[in-house]
Amino acid sequence: GAGVSQSPSNKVTEKGKDVELRCDPISGHTALYWYRQSLGQGLEFLIYFQGNSAPDKSGLPSDRFSAERTGGSVSTLTIQRTQQEDSAVYLCASSVPFLSYTFGSGTRLTVV
Amino acid sequence: GESVGLHLPTLSVQEGDNSIINCAYSNSASDYFIWYKQESGKGPQFIIDIRSNMDKRQGQRVTVLLNKTVKHLSLQIAATQPGDSAVYFCAENGSGNTGKLIFGQGTTLQVKP
């Protein structure tokens, strides 16, 4: 597509529930990234996929967070047993390796 | 550890004036730097980038300056407009040639009419 697409744009969930966030990168972009942005804060790196290489999971805050990328394209970020501190905007970006990212508009997650 | 920081959290300028947003980076191995603009409710958007073999690069109304000696990056916006109001992030590629960017905390630019 023309840009990075994320869905849903907003998600409200109850504490303890699992959520899945989806990212559709730009066609041909082999690198895909997930970041988290809390209100008024900077960008916190979560996970990075590059081609067929093992993903860089060094930013995942706990084992409740996981992500996968199927067929080198669409990615899903899963948060299990959500907590209130998980409330944030989750941003996905894609790129041709070693060049600038193109970000999606993000998914605003609210855990109540 | 690696970090990219911004000198001021908020910058307020008058419409029509020039804006300068500063960024300090700590990793001397970084050789690629980018400025992003994030408007409220949107994802960050690419503004301009620069590689370490350059010290200045110009775009439309924007200029990025890189001073490798003091590890300083700045974004200059000419004739600032209300539509420039946003949070601006600098980013560097760090060491290890991973393709992963390290982002600063952001500077909020407020343009007064």
Side-chain angles (χ1 to χ4, degrees):
Chain A
V4 177
S5 177
Q6 291 188 246
S7 60
S9 55
N10 282 283
K11 176 73 176 178
V12 180
T13 190
E14 292 181 350
K15 178 181 172 182
K17 301 284 190 183
D18 298 351
V19 294
E20 285 189 352
L21 313 180
R22 178 187 167 103
C23 174
D24 256 297
I26 291 174
S27 178
H29 281 191
T30 58
L32 186 147
Y33 315 82
W34 284 98
Y35 283 78
R36 179 168 70 175
Q37 188 174 33
S38 300
L39 186 63
Q41 299 298 310
L43 297 161
E44 177 189 4
F45 168 76
L46 296 177
I47 189 168
Y48 162 38
F49 297 90
Q50 169 47 40
N52 295 322
S53 302
D56 176 350
K57 304 179 182 180
S58 60
L60 294 178
S62 77
D63 59 8
R64 294 187 297 105
F65 289 72
S66 63
E68 62 177 22
R69 188 178 185 192
T70 54
S73 182
V74 172
S75 177
T76 302
L77 177 69
T78 301
I79 309 173
Q80 295 178 310
R81 305 180 302 282
T82 51
Q83 304 295 313
Q84 288 187 328
E85 61 263 29
D86 300 334
S87 295
V89 174
Y90 289 82
L91 290 162
C92 176
S94 69
S95 76
V96 174
F98 311 112
L99 294 181
S100 70
Y101 299 175
T102 301
F103 282 90
S105 296
T107 293
R108 181 175 298 278
L109 176 66
T110 305
V111 182
V112 298
Chain B
E2 296 178 339
S3 67
V4 177
L6 294 166
H7 292 307
L8 293 174
T10 302
L11 176 66
S12 185
V13 300
Q14 203 70 39
E15 181 179 357
D17 287 352
N18 296 333
S19 303
I20 300 176
I21 301 172
N22 295 305
C23 180
Y25 64 94
S26 61
N27 194 324
S28 56
S30 290
D31 60 8
Y32 182 52
F33 305 86
I34 309 168
W35 281 99
Y36 286 89
K37 172 186 179 183
Q38 187 176 28
E39 296 174 282
S40 181
K42 297 183 180 180
Q45 288 181 291
F46 171 88
I47 301 175
I48 192 167
D49 59 1
I50 189 168
R51 295 203 175 270
S52 59
N53 61 349
M54 301 174 69
D55 52 22
K56 179 179 180 179
R57 190 160 188 233
Q58 289 185 293
Q60 187 177 12
R61 282 202 307 117
V62 295
T63 301
V64 55
L65 298 177
L66 175 63
N67 185 329
K68 295 180 288 293
T69 302
V70 295
K71 290 186 284 188
H72 184 268
L73 191 69
S74 68
L75 177 71
Q76 300 178 357
I77 304 173
T80 312
Q81 302 169 0
D84 296 326
S85 294
V87 178
Y88 290 81
F89 293 96
C90 63
E92 62 173 326
N93 63 345
S95 58
N97 204 27
T98 65
K100 190 170 77 180
L101 296 176
I102 303 162
F103 287 85
Q105 288 303 304
T107 292
T108 299
L109 177 64
Q110 298 175 338
V111 181
K112 297 177 288 187

